[in-house]
Amino acid sequence: MTSFLIPVLTNNPYFEISVPFDGVVYNLEFYWNIRAQRFFLSVYNSENKIIISGIPIVLNFPLFYQYKNLKLPKGLLYAADTTGKNIPPKLEDFGSRVQLYYDGDF
């Protein structure tokens, strides 16, 4: 099983991390949109060329689901509310109450 927790920064409106998905390194960019009151995700390849931009972080939904034809990881990337209340993440919740997971066995 290749399911693991993605280390996201709590209470930070913008951050980037590099994560290996299925043996390939991707650069993830997270940014808080004040108007939408939610985080968005952009994915870059290891050469920092954009693959996709502006994916909204929503709970309990495969974030790459509608983008199957792109050069995205084949596994399941999803956000989950650790309290089970399924309340969308606010700026201060992402990385604490709401966690991001990847399951490569999906």
Side-chain angles (χ1 to χ4, degrees):
M1 181 125 182
T2 58
S3 182
F4 63 92
L5 176 69
I6 308 296
V8 298
L9 300 176
T10 302
N11 208 21
N12 196 334
Y14 177 87
F15 61 96
E16 298 174 8
I17 59 173
S18 294
V19 180
F21 293 133
D22 307 317
V24 177
V25 175
Y26 292 87
N27 298 317
L28 306 180
E29 174 187 57
F30 298 91
Y31 49 96
W32 178 256
N33 182 297
I34 294 171
R35 176 178 259 172
Q37 290 293 294
R38 72 173 56 228
F39 274 96
F40 287 84
L41 165 68
S42 294
V43 181
Y44 300 81
N45 66 17
S46 61
E47 297 173 351
N48 226 26
K49 295 186 183 197
I50 190 124
I51 297 173
I52 193 153
S53 179
I55 299 172
I57 303 294
V58 295
L59 294 175
N60 305 319
F61 186 80
L63 300 178
F64 299 151
Y65 178 74
Q66 60 186 343
Y67 309 107
K68 297 286 186 198
N69 61 341
L70 299 177
K71 296 179 180 180
L72 291 167
K74 303 296 182 219
L76 179 69
L77 181 70
Y78 63 97
D81 182 343
T82 60
T83 66
K85 296 179 182 177
N86 295 323
I87 300 169
K90 297 188 183 321
L91 176 61
E92 64 275 6
D93 297 325
F94 195 43
S96 58
R97 179 181 59 80
V98 174
Q99 298 286 339
L100 189 64
Y101 299 92
Y102 181 75
D103 185 351
D105 290 336
F106 178 72

